[in-house]
Amino acid sequence: MKRLDLQKLGQYAIVIVVAVTLNFALPRLMPGNPLALIAGVDVGLLTPEQRAQIIADVGLDEPIINQYADYWKSIVTGDLGQSYRSGRPINEMIAERLPWTLLLAGGALVLSSIFGIVLGAISAWRRGGKVDVPLLTGMIALQSLPSFWLGMLLISIFAVNLGVLPSFGAVSPAANLEGWAQVRDVLEHAVLPITTLSVLSTPGVYLTMRYSMLEVLGEDFIRTARSKGASERRILFGHVARNAIAPVITFLAIRFAFSFGGAVIIETVFSYPGLGRLVFEAVSGRDFPVMQAAFLVFTAAVLMANLTADLLYPVLDPRTRSS
Amino acid sequence: MDTVGLHRPMSPGLPSPHHNDQMLADETTDGLTRRSKRGTNSADRQLGTVTTSSALDRSAPATGPRPVLEVTDLYVKFGLPDRQVHAVTGATFQVGAGEIFALVGESGSGKSVTALSIMGLLQPPARVEGSIRLDGRELTTLKPRQLRSVRGREIGMVFQDPMSSLNPVHTVGKQIGESLRLHLDMNRSRARSRSIDLLGQVGIPDPRNRVDDYPHEFSGGMRQRAMIAIALACDPKVLIADEPTTALDVTVQRQIVELVLDLQRDRDMSVIWITHDLGVVAEIADRVAVMYGGRIMEEGPAGEIYGHTRHPYTSGLLRSIPRIERSTGSQLAEIPGTPVTITTSPTSCVFHARCPMEADDCQTSLPELVPTDRPDHRSACLHHAELEEAGELWSDVAAGTRRVGGDDRVIVRGSGLSVHFPGRRRSHSVVRAVDGVDLEVRAGRTLGVVGESGCGKTTLGRTLVGLIKPTTGSVEIAESGGRRVIQMVFQDPFSSMNPGMRIRDVIAEPIRILSLEVSDLDARVAELLEMVGLPADAAGRHPHEFSGGQRQRIAIARALAAEPEVIVCDEPVSALDVSVQAQIINLLRDLQDGSGLAFVFIAHDLAVVRHISDEVAVMYLGLIVERATRDDLYSSPLHPYTKALLDSVPVPDPDHVRSSEPLHGDLPSPSAPPAGCRFHTRCPIAVPGMCDTDVPRLRPVAAHRWVACHLVDPDSPHIRQPQGGERQ
């Protein structure tokens, strides 16, 4: 892989700076005394000395520019501070939660790209046919489903009525399973949230793929391939697919990052101990350092996903390779 | 392909294919005309055509080329939701072995649809009826698998736009190899080495290295060569070329024409060349069929079609195109109206509404393609016999002398103009689109700007109107009545107009923007519409309700609304059909006649520029290489590039002889122009040590005449003899 475009790297750097700055500014822009955010409802009971102490502890008495520099320092050194609520190091909390979110988002990414791309390709290939029309209608309907509703529906069917799958958590509590039994347990818990996320992601992938395929099918070079005597299958795999997939990759990258945010709702519905749930807890507990850290992770996820798409593009399309 | 079972269901009332016998008889002569055409000497060719065809007229048995492809009573319908389009209705023709057969027509004439139905490439909602035989084998009833073994193997096809016709994600070599592997069962390495051979045969330099390039790394001309290599990979019997040179520059067009002629001679294959350009047809074709409204109007040997035209449509086409070799004193003949779309089974001549010879029977009966008084020449005009006595059908409209209005003052002056764009990402190069241009436009005159694509002419035009800020230099526009007004008319009449606005608002917009004092806006719009030849009720309609030519009229009306002193027209007719082009060119001339309005007319078509310009500037890679009055430039071009450009223009006359070799190579990249004279890399007379090191300045060589060439003598304008070089 050739070295990345300097311009591109510059763009990423700008995004990071803007995101970090926003992250820094947000709690400070919120209405109300920061003290109230830190100490919560107890703020009225504190003595002036205690207040000064708290403010000095978290560095809020420093000039704003120093606070900003400190924030950068903490990010660069990887020390995200401590939770106001639990007092635990945030690094630890994130490390605990991130894998679960990655499992959900990654699982949903794989499933939705497989279903979306395959169904989208079939739909476009037989445009207006017996498969395409119901599929297209169904996908548009699915796309408009609210995620919490779908999650609750699945819980009520599979966990409550049928009782075949667990409805909350990532592992069975206090089961102390090992080996395959543990894997199985984790997967059982992940099935419903992943399904919910996948169902919500698939229509977008499908629509992007279908549209992209239709675009490519109308290209002159498809006619050239036909005029060479290539079979339909050969045209589909040799000429259409690779050209059509590039926009889908971009979509998947955005979608993957979006799943992180979407996880807030899904993980709450399924009481899943991921990053989204952490955000939910932090928001309800006004635990600002945790929220800031979680947002930072979201930003990083978005950037990583975009970077991957940027790196994949030249592989798929020689025109985007820098010579 | 939805053709199975639809084979030849003749609808009642439609004529039966009675001309088959005639076609066989015709075949006897066409081999001889063909062979005569192969001579490069025109006298030779003409002799052959006349003597042999009259001697053998319908007598001897078929000694000519056996027909390779026979199309009989071809009907193609498109069942659209709201209507049926009869794209082809009853086309019958044959293509002989080793013959170059041209299908000529405007857009919508059915020529491309005919080609696609031969290839079996039409898909529903298209329905193909009739018979298409290749070497006696019926193609319309073949199963998809059998049809695929014909495509690419026995018939190869080349399309108009080589960039979009090549798959951008596969190497050129892989795309050529695909045909070989499909039909000749070659393995990867054999296909690759054969692809290298083929690239060499179509004139790609260094094919061993270029075989692994992607299409975007090729120039336009090279891409079309690669397309030809793909089409010819399996040595097909027939090559179908659908507008193969339309997207290319004239100099490259000429290279491609010569290449196809060479390849055709070597392989003795048949070629169907589809084009709207009667110039290219005259250059390449043995036989010509002229199509209009889905029907063949006239068919015969090329010399016959041009020399003894037997259909009013063909004669109209020939009269309406600006000719580089004829006088420019008159207006172009116009074919009124626009090309038709046939939506019901035709029962009358499809051309009658636009025909100057229209008689009552033209509306009541459908003319068949029948033999004429000329040998081997058929016409679908009921009155073809009267055509010769009818004299000039397409009379010159208002052939009076042009009055030059205005007072000769300079309205626009560009000095030292250059426009540099940032190059591709990461490279620090700049694209020198315009690189030091001086020009002036005088009141009531037209300055033509010509050059190949990429020479910077469009950028220059946009800089003049202020759409692009020049990197250096300045544009001065003379003030008149307290205002400086310059307007522009763009190439594409479809995308250069807001589809959501009514015509009234499109035209009134400049009036509003400039706060012009107009007492009655509607009356002013109506007046402007009348000036461009449109009815006043057009004001209430939307752009999509108009044809390309009408929209270009609206664009002109919009420019006129600003009461400009100069209008920059950027390729205003190149998106239009041949018969409509003449209308717009005449309109522009009329608007200028006697008024002080000046034009900058930017175009790649040298014949069109000649017809409309008073002065012409020739651009090459961002520079003006020659500037002269129209007549001087066209009658005695001085710069070798001007000469080459003029010589590349196809002349619609099969007897026209080329005077020199075509220009080699492509336009170099404007981000890295060659040192010295920018043209030296392609110049036939470049002198090493001078032309490749010293930059020639644009010097005056005579009154109103400037040339940028070391080899032009400033005292007596002609090209100096380079040492040992050939005479120009």
Side-chain angles (χ1 to χ4, degrees):
Chain A
M1 181 61 60
K2 283 176 194 155
R3 74 195 163 88
L4 260 180
D5 220 298
L6 275 179
Q7 201 183 346
K8 202 108 232 178
L9 279 180
Q11 285 170 6
Y12 278 106
I14 291 170
V15 173
I16 290 172
V17 169
V18 169
V20 167
T21 309
L22 274 178
N23 219 356
F24 170 78
L26 262 172
R28 288 165 176 80
L29 293 174
M30 300 274 281
N33 189 337
L35 203 60
L37 297 178
I38 298 168
V41 287
D42 302 335
V43 71
L45 306 172
L46 297 175
T47 64
E49 291 76 28
Q50 282 173 313
R51 294 183 178 203
Q53 181 62 41
I54 291 173
I55 283 175
D57 278 352
V58 290
L60 284 175
D61 53 343
E62 299 266 339
I64 193 96
I65 190 78
N66 289 8
Q67 296 180 30
Y68 185 63
D70 283 345
Y71 186 58
W72 268 107
K73 209 188 321 176
S74 69
I75 288 168
V76 173
T77 55
D79 174 17
L80 296 173
Q82 278 148 12
S83 161
Y84 289 164
R85 292 279 128 188
S86 63
R88 290 179 60 203
I90 295 172
N91 285 0
E92 210 174 272
M93 295 167 75
I94 297 223
E96 205 174 271
R97 303 294 191 101
L98 186 60
W100 295 117
T101 297
L102 282 177
L103 175 69
L104 294 195
L109 179 78
V110 171
L111 286 181
S112 60
S113 41
I114 292 173
F115 283 109
I117 289 173
V118 170
L119 294 176
I122 293 171
S123 236
W125 194 249
R126 297 271 174 257
R127 182 188 192 175
K130 287 195 190 86
V131 181
D132 180 37
V133 176
L135 210 50
L136 182 63
T137 320
M139 286 290 180
I140 291 171
L142 272 190
Q143 200 178 28
S144 53
L145 287 186
S147 53
F148 69 88
W149 183 83
L150 182 66
M152 280 161 27
L153 183 75
L154 290 179
I155 289 175
S156 82
I157 295 174
F158 292 98
V160 179
N161 288 346
L162 299 177
V164 289
L165 289 168
S167 68
F168 66 92
V171 288
S172 301
N176 289 327
L177 297 167
E178 272 177 26
W180 283 111
Q182 189 190 8
V183 173
R184 196 194 140 108
D185 183 51
V186 166
L187 287 181
E188 270 180 4
H189 281 85
V191 165
L192 288 185
I194 288 183
T195 306
T196 312
L197 267 178
S198 304
V199 167
L200 295 169
S201 300
T202 305
V205 183
Y206 164 87
L207 291 171
T208 312
M209 182 66 186
R210 182 178 177 275
Y211 179 74
S212 178
M213 282 272 296
L214 288 176
E215 286 271 286
V216 176
L217 280 170
E219 295 277 357
D220 289 350
F221 60 79
I222 300 303
R223 190 182 54 191
T224 306
R226 287 216 168 86
S227 78
K228 284 182 193 173
S231 64
E232 296 296 292
R233 173 190 290 263
R234 201 187 159 82
I235 289 169
L236 178 60
F237 291 107
H239 293 277
V240 184
R242 194 163 145 197
N243 279 285
I245 212 102
V248 181
I249 296 288
T250 311
F251 180 84
L252 284 174
I254 295 166
R255 188 68 221 186
F256 177 73
F258 192 72
S259 316
F260 265 67
V264 176
I265 294 169
I266 298 297
E267 288 175 5
T268 306
V269 169
F270 288 97
S271 304
Y272 205 80
L275 216 51
R277 177 107 183 119
L278 183 68
V279 170
F280 178 76
E281 289 160 9
V283 169
S284 34
R286 296 191 163 192
D287 198 345
F288 266 86
V290 175
M291 276 168 67
Q292 276 183 313
F295 290 148
L296 213 57
V297 174
F298 287 170
T299 309
V302 172
L303 289 179
M304 292 300 285
N306 271 306
L307 188 66
T308 314
D310 274 343
L311 293 175
L312 272 174
Y313 241 96
V315 178
L316 290 167
D317 187 346
R319 283 169 299 182
T320 55
R321 281 171 213 169
S322 43
S323 47
Chain B
M1 274 296 299
D2 190 12
T3 55
V4 183
L6 289 169
H7 170 43
R8 304 195 62 172
M10 298 292 302
S11 8
L14 285 171
S16 64
H18 70 273
H19 27 252
N20 274 356
D21 299 350
Q22 184 51 45
M23 292 225 42
L24 283 171
D26 290 349
E27 282 308 317
T28 58
T29 51
D30 78 43
L32 292 146
T33 55
R34 176 186 66 86
R35 255 162 231 128
S36 62
K37 175 69 192 280
R38 282 293 161 270
T40 43
N41 180 314
S42 78
D44 188 329
R45 178 192 297 169
Q46 195 169 26
L47 248 177
T49 311
V50 174
T51 54
T52 54
S53 53
S54 53
L56 281 171
D57 188 19
R58 280 153 236 227
S59 50
T63 52
R66 84 202 139 74
V68 169
L69 189 79
E70 300 160 89
V71 174
T72 313
D73 277 310
L74 181 73
Y75 286 81
V76 183
K77 291 181 198 128
F78 288 85
L80 304 181
D82 53 335
R83 63 196 171 141
Q84 273 223 326
V85 173
H86 295 239
V88 180
T89 50
T92 299
F93 61 89
Q94 298 179 324
V95 181
E99 181 177 71
I100 300 186
F101 182 87
L103 268 179
V104 192
E106 299 178 274
S107 59
S109 63
K111 56 191 194 304
S112 291
V113 171
T114 303
L116 291 172
S117 36
I118 293 170
M119 288 293 278
L121 284 175
L122 288 175
Q123 306 214 330
R127 272 177 41 205
V128 179
E129 299 166 11
S131 158
I132 298 166
R133 286 168 176 274
L134 179 70
D135 270 343
R137 181 183 180 202
E138 180 61 49
L139 297 184
T140 53
T141 51
L142 290 185
K143 296 198 162 58
R145 174 183 291 275
Q146 298 168 309
L147 197 59
R148 286 204 296 273
S149 69
V150 173
R151 288 186 204 141
R153 177 73 187 87
E154 294 180 64
I155 310 175
M157 188 156 180
V158 175
F159 300 96
Q160 175 171 348
D161 180 0
M163 180 75 237
S164 63
S165 298
L166 290 166
N167 191 332
V169 305
H170 294 312
T171 62
V172 170
K174 188 173 172 191
Q175 298 189 53
I176 301 173
E178 185 177 15
S179 301
L180 297 165
R181 299 180 65 190
L182 276 170
H183 297 293
L184 305 181
D185 211 22
M186 286 190 186
N187 61 25
R188 200 177 288 264
S189 66
R190 279 195 56 213
R192 184 185 146 88
S193 63
R194 180 88 186 108
S195 300
I196 294 172
D197 290 349
L198 282 160
L199 281 176
Q201 285 173 30
V202 296
I204 302 282
D206 193 15
R208 201 163 292 280
N209 285 319
R210 300 315 294 265
V211 71
D212 295 323
D213 278 1
Y214 289 95
H216 71 275
E217 294 167 295
F218 273 30
S219 70
M222 282 163 67
R223 284 181 204 132
Q224 198 58 294
R225 287 171 191 268
M227 272 303 294
I228 292 172
I230 291 173
L232 299 186
C234 304
D235 245 331
K237 294 177 190 136
V238 180
L239 171 70
I240 301 179
D242 187 358
E243 300 266 12
T245 59
T246 306
L248 305 174
D249 280 311
V250 275
T251 57
V252 180
Q253 164 169 286
R254 191 169 163 201
Q255 296 169 9
I256 297 292
V257 166
E258 307 255 333
L259 173 70
V260 171
L261 279 171
D262 281 349
L263 292 167
Q264 187 270 343
R265 245 190 306 259
D266 293 348
R267 294 161 181 247
D268 202 36
M269 63 182 173
S270 308
V271 176
I272 301 179
W273 187 283
I274 295 164
T275 184
H276 68 281
D277 188 334
L278 285 161
V280 176
V281 170
E283 214 155 75
I284 198 163
D286 300 311
R287 295 181 69 80
V288 178
V290 180
M291 286 190 82
Y292 181 82
R295 296 182 66 79
I296 295 179
M297 298 282 104
E298 184 172 14
E299 197 246 333
E304 279 290 314
I305 299 290
Y306 288 84
H308 305 279
T309 310
R310 284 292 177 270
H311 198 286
Y313 175 61
T314 317
S315 84
L317 277 186
L318 285 167
R319 290 284 293 126
S320 64
I321 44 179
R323 305 278 285 254
I324 202 135
E325 81 287 10
R326 289 198 185 158
S327 92
T328 55
S330 58
Q331 294 268 48
L332 293 169
E334 288 178 18
I335 302 179
T338 48
V340 286
T341 304
I342 306 294
T343 51
T344 53
S345 212
T347 53
S348 60
C349 174
V350 288
F351 185 60
H352 77 83
R354 300 175 76 191
C355 183
M357 281 176 62
E358 184 189 10
D360 290 344
D361 51 351
C362 297
Q363 296 178 35
T364 53
S365 60
L366 180 67
E368 281 294 304
L369 203 56
V370 291
T372 65
D373 57 317
R374 300 292 306 174
D376 189 24
H377 186 157
R378 298 179 300 147
S379 166
C381 178
L382 294 171
H383 303 280
H384 64 82
E386 301 148 36
L387 200 64
E388 204 126 79
E389 298 100 76
E392 191 47 76
L393 286 178
W394 307 94
S395 58
D396 301 339
V397 192
T401 45
R402 266 188 79 211
R403 291 169 297 133
V404 176
D407 44 8
D408 205 36
R409 72 198 164 94
V410 175
I411 297 193
V412 179
R413 172 175 282 127
S415 346
L417 283 181
S418 60
V419 180
H420 296 178
F421 296 114
R424 299 185 61 161
R425 279 193 302 148
R426 290 210 309 140
S427 66
H428 292 284
S429 62
V430 289
V431 175
R432 297 161 179 274
V434 178
D435 207 16
V437 163
D438 298 303
L439 55 79
E440 52 202 33
V441 186
R442 289 175 188 277
R445 311 295 171 90
T446 299
L447 171 69
V449 179
V450 286
E452 291 173 278
S453 56
C455 74
K457 55 189 192 299
T458 291
T459 308
L460 179 64
R462 294 189 173 190
T463 309
L464 289 179
V465 297
L467 287 174
I468 297 175
K469 197 173 173 298
T471 313
T472 63
S474 62
V475 178
E476 296 163 52
I477 299 171
E479 196 170 306
S480 125
R483 303 186 307 123
R484 297 184 177 90
V485 180
I486 181 163
Q487 284 289 305
M488 190 148 186
V489 172
F490 297 93
Q491 173 173 7
D492 183 355
F494 294 91
S495 61
S496 60
M497 208 169 287
N498 186 337
M501 280 165 82
R502 288 181 196 278
I503 301 307
R504 177 181 186 277
D505 298 313
V506 168
I507 294 174
E509 198 168 24
I511 299 175
R512 294 187 176 124
I513 292 171
L514 297 167
S515 314
L516 296 182
E517 279 174 34
V518 172
S519 53
D520 180 353
L521 195 61
D522 286 331
R524 176 65 181 150
V525 169
E527 183 192 348
L528 286 163
L529 282 170
E530 195 201 322
M531 283 169 80
V532 298
L534 287 174
D537 66 7
R541 294 195 270 160
H542 285 100
H544 73 265
E545 297 171 63
F546 296 89
S547 67
Q550 289 171 325
R551 284 194 218 194
Q552 210 56 309
R553 288 175 192 268
I554 295 166
I556 293 167
R558 173 173 64 182
L560 290 172
E563 296 164 30
E565 292 202 65
V566 54
I567 299 179
V568 175
C569 304
D570 185 8
E571 299 272 14
V573 297
S574 60
L576 304 178
D577 269 314
V578 187
S579 67
V580 180
Q581 270 190 10
Q583 300 170 3
I584 299 297
I585 294 171
N586 286 345
L587 171 66
L588 289 173
R589 276 180 63 147
D590 282 346
L591 287 171
Q592 191 176 45
D593 199 25
S595 78
L597 186 63
F599 288 120
V600 177
F601 193 93
I602 298 166
H604 69 283
D605 187 328
L606 286 111
V608 169
V609 168
R610 173 169 178 261
H611 200 85
I612 199 160
S613 304
D614 299 292
E615 195 188 8
V616 178
V618 180
M619 283 188 81
Y620 188 77
L621 277 183
L623 293 173
I624 291 179
V625 294
E626 180 162 4
R627 197 177 127 200
T629 59
R630 188 259 318 272
D631 293 335
D632 281 352
L633 190 102
Y634 282 82
S635 59
S636 60
L638 288 176
H639 197 284
Y641 178 61
T642 315
K643 282 173 188 283
L645 212 50
L646 285 174
D647 201 48
S648 301
V649 177
V651 172
D653 175 1
D655 295 333
H656 181 82
V657 195
R658 293 281 198 201
S659 56
S660 64
E661 282 289 294
L663 207 54
H664 293 291
D666 298 303
L667 200 69
S669 160
S671 58
C677 173
R678 290 186 178 180
F679 185 58
H680 84 263
T681 51
R682 298 169 78 191
C683 183
I685 56 162
V687 177
M690 175 165 70
C691 296
D692 52 357
T693 51
D694 300 342
V695 179
R697 301 191 63 78
L698 191 66
R699 303 169 298 161
V701 290
H704 298 294
R705 182 139 218 202
W706 295 264
V707 181
C709 178
H710 293 302
L711 300 168
V712 174
D713 199 328
D715 304 319
S716 55
H718 64 272
I719 299 251
R720 266 183 256 161
Q721 282 272 71
Q723 311 87 313
E726 77 268 47
R727 173 172 276 279
Q728 279 299 298

